[in-house]
Amino acid sequence: MPNSRCPITNYQLPIMISALIWIPIWGAIIIALLPKKITSNQIRLSAGLLALITFIWNLFVLFQFDINNPNVQLQEYLPWNETLGLSYRLGVDGLSILMLLLNSLLTWIAIYSSKKETERPRLFYSLILLVSGGVAGAFSAQNLLLFFLFYELELIPFYLLISIWGGAKRNYAGIKFLIYTAVSGALILASFLGLVWLSGSSSFDYDAISTQTLSATLQIILLGGIILGFGIKIPLVPLHTWLPDAYVEANSPVAILLGGVLAKLGTYGLLRFGLGLFPEAWSTLAPTLATWGAISATYGAVTAIAQKDIKRMVAYSSIGHMGYILLAAAASTPLSMVGAVAQMFSHGLILGILFHLVGIVEVKVGTRELDKLNGLMSPVRGLPVISALLVLGGMASLGIPGMTGFVAEFLAFQGSFPVFPIQTLLCVVATGLTAVYFVILLNRTCFGKLDNNLAYYPKVLWYEKMPAFILAGIIVFLGVQPTWLVRWSEPTTTQMVANVPAIQKSVTPQVALNQLTVKSEK
């Protein structure tokens, strides 16, 4: 496990990364303590302002980031408990910088798209901000125990968000989520403890751990625990059964965070602590992981076709797209790894817009059932703008050129094919099945003729559409200008896979992007 990072030689504690964590956390405390005379909408606006400040600060951090430096940057370090090997150590590299941005963006989107009159608003918005701070801490933690603390911080808030503000089966979905996520954390903690104890390290700092060497058998055992732990969070088949219930029963803002942010914490952890700490064992298990990714992708797509609830259909589509990330990570080529990170970011944007639009349809029409929806594209009595945005979201999800989803899948598949051709072809077939279920969804909801007995649907106000327009603009922009997406992660991911044995590096990300540009022009 060679060390590719720059060690910290003295204690540093600037606030650049810490602000991304503590603005939301302290904001959650402030929101919880607001006077009772403050209205629900005023609380929503206050929480939204805090989330917007965090996002703007995140943009500032993004432009302080040196894209040519593959190592951890903007590091913060403060000794905490040397006996336990725990330190407050933060930093970002090409693997985490985009995930932090995605987290802050979708947090603001979730708060903005919440209802003006929300039951128990102080608790609701405090929990969302607490989740945002915890996720930011996990994405930036450079100490394994610190990562685990932030990783577990979102557990209870998400459980409460599902079980209090969810649908009819919210208690069942919340408890199921709680149990699965608790098992995930236990597996990850056991693997971290085993790694430190067996290696004889006195610190949980990533740099210290990454220099340790273990036997091949021990590496595979510890890596297995990490894969299972993060596989539950992603989730991968058959560890996925909590996901449809949680996504469907959660209200739309919470579903945006579950699919757009929480699942990415699983894939990030798999890359950071699986591939990053155990490159030799990862290479050994790579064929199994690639096959697992192909199975998850196919299962998610086939199951989505059979759904009658559009929210459940989007939930199962998420399982399929997570399989592409596992395939790309298993291949461990420079190109596939860039594609994996691009897919993580793109998928978060796409799920964000889809869950937001599904929420609007449910509120305005009163149902999510495909058999009851029809003609929403009608310019007079339907929801034409929402339908058009839903078409765009579906096209992005199925990988139509000009959308960021196409860029991510193109890079992931081209990088994976030389290593795992059969598994890659199965994932390509899954993208074809994606087209099937989105055509079914769009055909039944957007097109056709409205029932004349139905009243006019309420108009969608401009502020209700704005989150979808923002996400749609980003999706199209990054699809047309893919370099703006992949340049942040390429140096880091290339350095990561350099330690994995038996990798094919015949196609570089830049060559692939040039090919992509030529094909798009044609």
Side-chain angles (χ1 to χ4, degrees), residues 327-353:
L327 169 69
S332 300
T333 66
L335 181 56
S336 70
M337 282 293 292
V338 170
V341 177
Q343 177 70 2
M344 289 162 62
F345 189 80
S346 300
H347 183 259
L349 297 175
I350 294 168
L351 269 195
I353 190 172

Short mmCIF file of all heavy atoms in Angstrom, two decimals, residues 327-353:
data_model
loop_
_atom_site.label_atom_id
_atom_site.label_comp_id
_atom_site.label_asym_id
_atom_site.label_seq_id
_atom_site.Cartn_x
_atom_site.Cartn_y
_atom_site.Cartn_z
N LEU A 327 -18.30 -1.15 -12.00
CA LEU A 327 -17.58 -1.70 -13.15
C LEU A 327 -16.35 -0.86 -13.47
O LEU A 327 -15.25 -1.40 -13.65
CB LEU A 327 -18.50 -1.74 -14.36
CG LEU A 327 -17.83 -2.04 -15.71
CD1 LEU A 327 -17.32 -3.48 -15.75
CD2 LEU A 327 -18.77 -1.74 -16.88
N ALA A 328 -16.53 0.45 -13.54
CA ALA A 328 -15.41 1.34 -13.87
C ALA A 328 -14.32 1.28 -12.82
O ALA A 328 -13.12 1.28 -13.13
CB ALA A 328 -15.92 2.76 -14.05
N ALA A 329 -14.71 1.21 -11.55
CA ALA A 329 -13.72 1.12 -10.48
C ALA A 329 -12.98 -0.21 -10.53
O ALA A 329 -11.78 -0.27 -10.26
CB ALA A 329 -14.41 1.30 -9.14
N ALA A 330 -13.69 -1.28 -10.86
CA ALA A 330 -13.05 -2.59 -10.95
C ALA A 330 -12.01 -2.62 -12.06
O ALA A 330 -10.94 -3.21 -11.91
CB ALA A 330 -14.10 -3.68 -11.17
N ALA A 331 -12.32 -1.99 -13.18
CA ALA A 331 -11.38 -1.96 -14.31
C ALA A 331 -10.11 -1.20 -13.94
O ALA A 331 -9.01 -1.56 -14.36
CB ALA A 331 -12.03 -1.32 -15.52
N SER A 332 -10.24 -0.15 -13.14
CA SER A 332 -9.09 0.59 -12.60
C SER A 332 -8.12 1.06 -13.66
O SER A 332 -6.91 1.00 -13.49
CB SER A 332 -8.34 -0.27 -11.57
OG SER A 332 -9.19 -0.62 -10.50
N THR A 333 -8.64 1.53 -14.77
CA THR A 333 -7.80 2.22 -15.75
C THR A 333 -7.93 3.72 -15.54
O THR A 333 -8.92 4.17 -14.93
CB THR A 333 -8.22 1.87 -17.19
OG1 THR A 333 -9.53 2.41 -17.44
CG2 THR A 333 -8.23 0.37 -17.41
N PRO A 334 -6.97 4.50 -15.99
CA PRO A 334 -7.11 5.96 -15.82
C PRO A 334 -8.41 6.49 -16.41
O PRO A 334 -9.05 7.37 -15.83
CB PRO A 334 -5.88 6.50 -16.56
CG PRO A 334 -4.87 5.41 -16.49
CD PRO A 334 -5.67 4.14 -16.57
N LEU A 335 -8.81 5.94 -17.55
CA LEU A 335 -10.02 6.42 -18.20
C LEU A 335 -11.27 6.00 -17.44
O LEU A 335 -12.20 6.80 -17.24
CB LEU A 335 -10.07 5.89 -19.64
CG LEU A 335 -11.27 6.31 -20.49
CD1 LEU A 335 -11.37 7.83 -20.55
CD2 LEU A 335 -11.15 5.73 -21.88
N SER A 336 -11.33 4.73 -17.02
CA SER A 336 -12.53 4.27 -16.32
C SER A 336 -12.70 4.97 -14.98
O SER A 336 -13.83 5.24 -14.55
CB SER A 336 -12.46 2.75 -16.11
OG SER A 336 -11.49 2.39 -15.16
N MET A 337 -11.59 5.28 -14.31
CA MET A 337 -11.70 5.95 -13.02
C MET A 337 -12.21 7.38 -13.17
O MET A 337 -13.00 7.86 -12.35
CB MET A 337 -10.35 5.95 -12.31
CG MET A 337 -10.03 4.61 -11.66
SD MET A 337 -11.13 4.23 -10.28
CE MET A 337 -10.61 5.48 -9.10
N VAL A 338 -11.77 8.07 -14.20
CA VAL A 338 -12.32 9.40 -14.48
C VAL A 338 -13.82 9.27 -14.77
O VAL A 338 -14.63 10.09 -14.31
CB VAL A 338 -11.59 10.05 -15.66
CG1 VAL A 338 -12.32 11.31 -16.12
CG2 VAL A 338 -10.16 10.41 -15.27
N GLY A 339 -14.19 8.22 -15.52
CA GLY A 339 -15.60 7.99 -15.80
C GLY A 339 -16.39 7.68 -14.55
O GLY A 339 -17.55 8.10 -14.42
N ALA A 340 -15.79 6.95 -13.60
CA ALA A 340 -16.49 6.62 -12.35
C ALA A 340 -16.81 7.88 -11.55
O ALA A 340 -17.93 8.05 -11.07
CB ALA A 340 -15.64 5.67 -11.51
N VAL A 341 -15.84 8.78 -11.42
CA VAL A 341 -16.07 10.03 -10.69
C VAL A 341 -17.09 10.90 -11.44
O VAL A 341 -17.98 11.51 -10.82
CB VAL A 341 -14.75 10.79 -10.47
CG1 VAL A 341 -15.01 12.12 -9.77
CG2 VAL A 341 -13.78 9.94 -9.66
N ALA A 342 -16.97 10.96 -12.75
CA ALA A 342 -17.92 11.74 -13.55
C ALA A 342 -19.34 11.17 -13.40
O ALA A 342 -20.31 11.93 -13.31
CB ALA A 342 -17.51 11.74 -15.02
N GLN A 343 -19.45 9.84 -13.35
CA GLN A 343 -20.76 9.21 -13.18
C GLN A 343 -21.33 9.51 -11.80
O GLN A 343 -22.54 9.73 -11.66
CB GLN A 343 -20.63 7.70 -13.39
CG GLN A 343 -21.91 6.92 -13.18
CD GLN A 343 -22.95 7.15 -14.26
OE1 GLN A 343 -22.72 7.88 -15.22
NE2 GLN A 343 -24.11 6.53 -14.11
N MET A 344 -20.50 9.54 -10.79
CA MET A 344 -20.98 9.88 -9.45
C MET A 344 -21.57 11.28 -9.42
O MET A 344 -22.67 11.49 -8.88
CB MET A 344 -19.82 9.78 -8.45
CG MET A 344 -19.37 8.36 -8.17
SD MET A 344 -17.72 8.25 -7.42
CE MET A 344 -17.96 9.12 -5.88
N PHE A 345 -20.87 12.24 -10.01
CA PHE A 345 -21.36 13.62 -10.01
C PHE A 345 -22.59 13.76 -10.90
O PHE A 345 -23.59 14.38 -10.50
CB PHE A 345 -20.25 14.55 -10.49
CG PHE A 345 -20.56 16.01 -10.33
CD1 PHE A 345 -20.43 16.63 -9.10
CD2 PHE A 345 -20.99 16.76 -11.41
CE1 PHE A 345 -20.73 17.98 -8.95
CE2 PHE A 345 -21.29 18.11 -11.26
CZ PHE A 345 -21.16 18.72 -10.02
N SER A 346 -22.53 13.19 -12.09
CA SER A 346 -23.64 13.30 -13.03
C SER A 346 -24.90 12.65 -12.49
O SER A 346 -26.00 13.18 -12.60
CB SER A 346 -23.26 12.66 -14.38
OG SER A 346 -22.14 13.28 -14.93
N HIS A 347 -24.74 11.47 -11.90
CA HIS A 347 -25.90 10.76 -11.36
C HIS A 347 -26.57 11.55 -10.25
O HIS A 347 -27.80 11.55 -10.13
CB HIS A 347 -25.46 9.38 -10.86
CG HIS A 347 -26.57 8.54 -10.36
ND1 HIS A 347 -26.85 8.39 -9.02
CD2 HIS A 347 -27.50 7.80 -11.01
CE1 HIS A 347 -27.90 7.60 -8.88
NE2 HIS A 347 -28.31 7.22 -10.06
N GLY A 348 -25.77 12.23 -9.43
CA GLY A 348 -26.36 13.06 -8.39
C GLY A 348 -27.21 14.19 -8.96
O GLY A 348 -28.31 14.47 -8.47
N LEU A 349 -26.72 14.84 -10.01
CA LEU A 349 -27.49 15.90 -10.67
C LEU A 349 -28.78 15.35 -11.28
O LEU A 349 -29.86 15.95 -11.15
CB LEU A 349 -26.65 16.55 -11.77
CG LEU A 349 -25.38 17.28 -11.34
CD1 LEU A 349 -24.62 17.77 -12.58
CD2 LEU A 349 -25.70 18.46 -10.43
N ILE A 350 -28.67 14.21 -11.97
CA ILE A 350 -29.82 13.64 -12.67
C ILE A 350 -30.88 13.17 -11.69
O ILE A 350 -32.08 13.44 -11.88
CB ILE A 350 -29.36 12.50 -13.60
CG1 ILE A 350 -28.48 13.05 -14.72
CG2 ILE A 350 -30.56 11.77 -14.19
CD1 ILE A 350 -27.74 12.00 -15.51
N LEU A 351 -30.47 12.47 -10.63
CA LEU A 351 -31.45 12.06 -9.62
C LEU A 351 -32.08 13.27 -8.95
O LEU A 351 -33.27 13.26 -8.62
CB LEU A 351 -30.80 11.17 -8.58
CG LEU A 351 -30.81 9.66 -8.80
CD1 LEU A 351 -30.46 8.94 -7.52
CD2 LEU A 351 -32.14 9.16 -9.32
N GLY A 352 -31.29 14.32 -8.74
CA GLY A 352 -31.83 15.53 -8.14
C GLY A 352 -32.97 16.12 -8.95
O GLY A 352 -34.03 16.44 -8.41
N ILE A 353 -32.76 16.25 -10.26
CA ILE A 353 -33.81 16.85 -11.09
C ILE A 353 -35.01 15.91 -11.21
O ILE A 353 -36.16 16.36 -11.20
CB ILE A 353 -33.26 17.24 -12.49
CG1 ILE A 353 -34.29 18.09 -13.24
CG2 ILE A 353 -32.87 16.03 -13.32
CD1 ILE A 353 -33.75 18.67 -14.54
#
